[in-house]
Amino acid sequence: MKAIEVKGLYFKYDETPILEDINFEVEENDFIGIIGPNGGGKTTFIKILVGLLKPDNGTVKIFGREISKLSHSIGYVPQLFNFDKDFPISVMQVVLMGRLSKQNLISRFVNDDYNSATESLKKVGMYEFKDELIGNLSGGQKQRVLIARALSVNPKILILDEPTASVDSKAGKNFYELLHDLNENMTIIMISHDIGVVSQYVEKIACLNKNLVFHDSKEISREMLEATYQCPVDLIAHGLPHRILDEHNH
């Protein structure tokens, strides 16, 4: 059974088309990177996948069922946001927020919630910081906490939006190694602008700019990138793959 099946998906804001005729299938335990220019619809697309937005047309199925019936199967890590250093919320409290249901935002946490939050923090190597204020952590540490929050519901699919945008290169490398370990037991979909790094760590790459190009592999051709970014692209390599955009007019 496919982990995710998207067929004929369309979405627009007001009258502006954002996504057009998206068809996308994800196998269980895939690790897929989604690349594309700003404004190309990447964040909108994953918000539809996690049930935060509804498409105008088309279907989205998670393990063969409608997304509304299986939202608990998906852990979502949005783009990193800054926490005020003095904001009085601990790491454990942030992770517990993942256990709140849409139907009941004021219920008290029970032992199962604390046990799940504890296990999630241990998985990402952040349990020793459980009583620390979230605002005191580094960017890389905060991202790990946000992953722990997503893991607290024991998801089968983990979806991340620009997870390393605000962390340094060393923390980013450690972060991708964590994702690699998590991928042994779950499907992962990740948006990133760092094409070189993404192509090093993920198994498959999709290009999205209103339309989606996905060939079920991690090979990125010059033609794929030019169709996605709508400008000339040179691909060069110095040990690790790099992508450089030629000068062009927007």
Side-chain angles (χ1 to χ4, degrees):
M1 182 179 295
K2 306 289 184 183
I4 298 175
E5 292 179 275
V6 178
K7 294 183 178 180
L9 187 146
Y10 288 78
F11 183 87
K12 62 180 180 291
Y13 284 117
D14 296 326
E15 296 303 315
T16 303
I18 305 299
L19 301 171
E20 293 186 340
D21 196 22
I22 303 295
N23 296 281
F24 186 53
E25 291 187 350
V26 178
E27 302 289 343
E28 195 167 0
N29 291 347
D30 269 351
F31 188 170
I32 296 176
I34 299 179
I35 63 173
N38 288 331
K42 301 185 301 298
T43 295
T44 298
F45 181 51
I46 63 172
K47 284 184 176 180
I48 291 174
L49 293 184
V50 301
L52 295 176
L53 293 174
K54 292 185 178 181
D56 296 317
N57 289 292
T59 60
V60 178
K61 291 187 177 180
I62 307 298
F63 296 106
R65 301 178 64 185
E66 298 296 331
I67 179 65
S68 60
K69 300 177 182 179
L70 279 176
S71 59
H72 63 278
S73 295
I74 301 177
Y76 174 47
V77 182
Q79 293 186 31
L80 181 62
F81 50 91
N82 291 321
F83 292 88
D84 189 301
K85 186 176 180 62
D86 298 318
F87 190 69
I89 185 170
S90 71
V91 165
M92 176 61 80
Q93 289 170 324
V94 170
V95 177
L96 283 169
M97 289 168 58
R99 300 285 296 181
L100 294 172
S101 69
K102 295 179 181 178
Q103 290 76 26
N104 192 350
L105 297 177
I106 59 173
S107 62
R108 290 194 174 191
F109 296 112
V110 297
N111 285 339
D112 283 348
D113 296 319
Y114 285 100
N115 290 339
S116 181
T118 295
E119 288 304 310
S120 297
L121 283 170
K122 289 180 178 179
K123 283 182 182 178
V124 302
M126 290 298 295
Y127 180 69
E128 64 182 289
F129 298 94
K130 63 183 177 65
D131 297 320
E132 187 75 41
L133 290 181
I134 187 71
N136 291 338
L137 303 184
S138 69
Q141 290 173 326
K142 289 174 184 174
Q143 260 319 1
R144 285 176 174 263
V145 172
L146 293 179
I147 287 186
R149 182 179 67 174
L151 295 178
S152 68
V153 295
N154 301 311
K156 296 179 180 179
I157 300 171
L158 182 64
I159 298 181
L160 309 98
D161 190 355
E162 292 286 352
T164 59
S166 301
V167 302
D168 59 40
S169 58
K170 181 179 179 180
K173 180 180 179 181
N174 293 335
F175 184 82
Y176 285 117
E177 290 172 351
L178 168 63
L179 293 183
H180 182 268
D181 292 340
L182 292 173
N183 182 228
E184 293 182 5
N185 298 302
M186 67 181 65
T187 304
I188 297 179
I189 298 176
M190 176 181 64
I191 286 177
S192 180
H193 283 294
D194 196 339
I195 302 174
V197 173
V198 166
S199 63
Q200 182 183 1
Y201 286 98
V202 306
E203 296 176 354
K204 302 174 182 179
I205 294 177
C207 299
L208 178 61
N209 185 7
K210 190 181 296 184
N211 304 113
L212 186 139
V213 179
F214 181 56
H215 296 306
D216 202 30
S217 77
K218 67 184 299 180
E219 297 300 320
I220 312 175
S221 69
R222 178 175 183 142
E223 290 74 22
M224 286 174 64
L225 289 177
E226 290 185 358
T228 302
Y229 288 89
Q230 299 180 354
C231 61
V233 178
D234 278 341
L235 281 75
I236 62 174
H238 299 290
L240 295 176
H242 300 274
R243 273 67 178 172
I244 295 181
L245 302 183
D246 294 337
E247 291 185 5
H248 59 282
N249 295 321
H250 293 285

